[in-house]
């Protein structure tokens, strides 16, 4: 099942009578019943804040195969959550529990778990690294307070690394970096830090330096304490040895590990100086110490340095990131990373108040001690319990079986149970409090991105939802027998609730079911889920590519709609201008209907005007005055015309695919004394006729591809890209282990089935990553 896993000790939080929030920039409060009640409420809020400070909601994100799941598995092992360490290649990790994940050796869905470290509770979400499942990263980052970005020590920042980093920036999520696989040949910390600067545009602040390189990697130096940190290999890294490089016994203590103390101390001193200079540039408090002289800077204590690093981490606008290192597979460096999650990443109470929208459209700030407000960020279908809806609570408290209002959809919901989940084990709890993440049973109509409040809330607010990327791969699905069709429909209905990036439509000409997704693997996973979870036998058609259309030149078009509504004849006329605009975004269109206001504001015609109109019955430009009923209907007409114009842009005349980068302007209308429905139909048809008049160009999706290949396979890969796939070859990077990264721009239609082809021509030694770049005219 697509299912996040949560298991943690229950946070005992209670809500008092008083509550406060910030509306329209002003603080307002509900009066408390008495001074005693007020004191009780303040104590409850203080207790809640303390418990929130002991909580970390953190995600792990990375490019595929950077080692995220291995890092998570080691964290659980060192936190005593599991007794045996699972491995991805053996298919027995806790986090990758789906059959398809274990078979394919990749993470397909976001999976979460809770554990304790240093007296704190960490809610950790392991997200997929494959681009086809980027929606899982998107919705996880939407509700998380911090993130750990794992980089491959050899490859550095990779294509999907940039994507997830950009997603984290969209939600202003504080993050730290863990450079993994430092034991591999060619793994260099400096190379990864350079790629952070060049590809991400952030300044790396190295908190660690490695002890040994490649196969001789033994541990790290913590620059905040100037200690060598070494890990017992026989005990799978459970035993950690720390040796002060400033102590007289350093040489003797490091000798058994095969480490020379003096050169290591010199390298650490230089690295610490570089770290402090970088911190001073970003933090005023350290800058003041820095200006006092080198002696005071060198003596800065660990606590003060970590406090500065935490201030920098909590302010992503500074674009500075703390970098740590290790090798999760070799059981080195994970415990210091867990310490950094506690020391550097924020608690829910450290995050700014969440922005919410009031019913009147005003945006205000919601604090954690205000009334209950939660966001649904994941929906999972369970055969035994039905739909499980995962909630992140931003403020207040919800008791089990409380009546809830789905503000987004205007529904009333009543949860049956509140659960903390770990794989197939569930722990029922009584309430959900601010900062918490749980699964709820019994919400029938709630979907990903919906806002939930208590039904008794007199000031319901709405939270920002999530951005879902458009589907680019499509294929038909057909049930093997007529008896399987109802189950196929039910399975797709459940999967579309779970996965917002899955699109299900019907081909109007053939009646076939068409599914759309982010890639070939995404569609293949969906088909397999239908077979295994819903016992549906179905056949998938050939993969198709989603195209777009764009008008070639400006055009003006008038269209008059004539029809029947409720037994009465209705007429509506609009004149529009349709024009291409390359300045607009990839999927962007602009629609303007302000002409309706101008028409409604025209003065009442004079007696002479009326006489002129009589003498010129065909004069459509003669002044006209809307009736009183039409003036009351102006906003409805504007909304109808705008909706109609947008409807018209959804299907171009050539392929029926959406039109993009198009500007539509309403120039004038006919008589406003008619139905808004008629105006909507006229506007839709006007767009179609205008585009058909001048013609459209068909645009195809063009992808950015990065291929990692051995030097021996370089010629074969380049030849295939140029000759068979019409690729535009870009830069080529040389990795430290001798492999090459080939960057190219390729039309998506030539990349269908490329995974199989690449394995064939390179003997399985190469890998690739695809990401959408832009739409371009089909050649």
């Amino acid at each position: 099942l697509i299912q996040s896993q949560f298991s943690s000790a229950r946070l005992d939080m209670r809500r008092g009578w008083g509550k406060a929030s910030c509306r329209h920039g002003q603080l307002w409060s509900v009066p408390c019943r008495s001074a005693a009640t007020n004191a009780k409420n303040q104590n409850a809020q203080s207790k809640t804040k303390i418990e929130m400070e002991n909580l970390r909601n953190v995600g792990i994100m990375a490019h595929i195969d950077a080692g995220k799941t291995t890092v998570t598995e080691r964290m659980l092992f060192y936190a005593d959550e599991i007794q045996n360490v699972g491995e991805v290649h053996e298919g027995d990790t806790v986090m990758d529990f789906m059959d398809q994940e274990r078979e394919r050796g990749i993470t397909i869905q976001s999976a979460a778990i809770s554990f304790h470290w240093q007296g704190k509770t960490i809610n950790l979400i392991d997200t997929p690294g494959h681009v086809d499942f980027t929606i899982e990263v998107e919705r996880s980052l939407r509700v998380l307070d911090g993130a750990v970005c794992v980089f491959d020590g050899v490859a550095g920042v990779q294509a999907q690394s940039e994507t997830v980093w950009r997603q984290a920036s969209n939600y202003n999520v504080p993050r730290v970096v863990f450079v993994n696989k430092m034991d591999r040949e060619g793994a260099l910390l400096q190379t990864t830090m350079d790629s952070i600067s060049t590809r991400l545009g952030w300044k790396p602040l190295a908190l660690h330096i490695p002890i040994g390189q490649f196969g001789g990697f033994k541990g790290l130096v913590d620059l905040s304490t100037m200690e060598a940190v070494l890990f017992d290999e026989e005990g799978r890294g459970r035993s950690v040895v720390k040796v002060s490089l400033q102590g007289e016994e350093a040489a003797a203590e490091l000798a058994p590990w095969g480490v020379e103390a003096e050169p290591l101390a010199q390298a650490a001193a230089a690295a610490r100086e570089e770290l402090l200079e970088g911190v001073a540039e970003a933090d005023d408090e350290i800058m003041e110490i820095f200006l006092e002289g080198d002696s005071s800077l060198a003596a800065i204590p660990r606590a003060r340095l970590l406090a500065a690093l935490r201030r920098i981490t909590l302010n992503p606008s500074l674009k500075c990131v703390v970098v740590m290192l290790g090798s999760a597979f070799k059981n080195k460096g994970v415990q210091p990373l867990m310490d950094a999650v506690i020391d550097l990443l924020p608690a829910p109470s450290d995050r700014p108040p969440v922005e919410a929208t009031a019913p009147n459209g005003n945006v205000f700030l919601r604090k954690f001690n205000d009334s209950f407000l939660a966001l649904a960020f994941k929906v999972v279908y369970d055969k035994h319990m039905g739909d499980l809806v995962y909630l992140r609570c931003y403020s207040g408290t919800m008791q089990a079986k409380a009546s809830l209002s789905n503000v987004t959809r205007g529904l009333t919901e009543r949860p049956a149970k509140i659960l903390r989940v770990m794989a197939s084990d569930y722990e029922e709890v009584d309430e959900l409090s601010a900062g918490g993440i749980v699964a709820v049973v019994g919400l029938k109509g709630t979907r990903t991105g919906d806002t939930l409040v208590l039904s008794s809330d007199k000031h319901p607010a709405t939270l920002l939802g999530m951005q879902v990327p458009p589907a680019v791969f499509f294929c038909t699905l057909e049930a093997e027998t007529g008896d399987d069709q109802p189950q196929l429909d039910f399975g797709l209905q459940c999967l579309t609730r779970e996965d917002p990036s899955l699109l299900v439509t019907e081909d109007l000409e053939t009646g076939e079911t068409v599914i759309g997704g982010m890639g070939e693997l995404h569609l293949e996973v969906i088909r397999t889920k239908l077979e295994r979870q819903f016992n549906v036998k179905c056949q998938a058609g050939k993969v198709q590519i989603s195209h777009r259309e764009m008008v070639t030149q400006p055009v003006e078009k008038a269209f008059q709609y004539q029809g029947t509504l409720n037994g009465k004849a209705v007429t509506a006329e609009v004149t529009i201008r349709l024009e291409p605009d390359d300045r607009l975004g990839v999927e962007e269109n602009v629609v303007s209907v302000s002409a309706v206001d101008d028409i409604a504001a025209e003065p009442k015609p004079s007696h002479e005007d009326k006489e002129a109109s009589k003498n010129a019955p065909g004069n459509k430009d003669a002044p006209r005055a809307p009736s009183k009923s039409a003036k009351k209907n102006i906003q409805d007409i504007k909304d109808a015309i705008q909706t109609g114009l947008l409807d018209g842009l959804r299907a171009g005349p050539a392929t029926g695919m959406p039109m993009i980068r198009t500007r539509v302007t309403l120039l004038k209308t006919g008589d406003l004394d008619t139905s808004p429905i008629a105006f909507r139909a006229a506007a839709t048809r006007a767009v179609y006729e205008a585009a058909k008049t001048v013609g459209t160009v068909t645009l195809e999706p063009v992808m950015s591809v990065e291929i990692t290949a051995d030097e021996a396979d370089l010629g074969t890969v380049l030849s295939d890209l140029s000759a068979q796939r019409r690729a535009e070859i870009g830069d080529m990077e040389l990795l430290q282990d001798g492999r090459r990264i080939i960057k190219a721009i390729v039309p998506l239609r030539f990349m269908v089935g490329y995974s199989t082809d690449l394995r064939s021509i390179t003997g399985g030694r190469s890998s690739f990553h695809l990401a959408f770049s832009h739409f371009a005219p089909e050649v």
Side-chain angles (χ1 to χ4, degrees), residues 546-548 698-702 747-749 774-779:
S546 174
H547 290 73
R548 298 291 185 268
T698 300
L699 306 176
E700 66 175 340
V702 177
L748 179 57
R749 59 192 163 111
H774 62 280
F775 283 103
E778 193 173 41
V779 180

Side-chain angles (χ1 to χ4, degrees), residues 411-438:
L411 304 174
T412 298
E413 299 269 32
R414 187 176 294 275
K417 295 179 181 179
I418 304 175
L419 304 173
R420 297 193 185 280
V421 188
M422 181 174 178
S424 58
D425 296 328
Y426 299 92
E427 176 190 357
E428 187 172 353
V429 296
D430 297 328
E431 66 182 20
L432 168 62
S433 298
I437 297 177
V438 298

Side-chain angles (χ1 to χ4, degrees), residues 549-558 576-580 648-655 657-660 662 664 683-697:
E549 294 184 40
M550 183 177 176
V551 292
T552 56
Q553 61 188 32
V555 61
E556 292 187 10
K557 189 72 176 179
I576 65 168
R577 181 170 62 247
L578 198 66
E579 54 190 328
L649 291 170
R650 289 194 177 98
T655 65
M657 292 292 182
M659 290 190 284
I660 61 172
T662 304
V664 189
T684 300
R685 190 65 184 181
V687 172
Y688 179 85
E689 293 297 337
K692 186 177 180 180
T693 298
V694 296
T696 60
V697 60

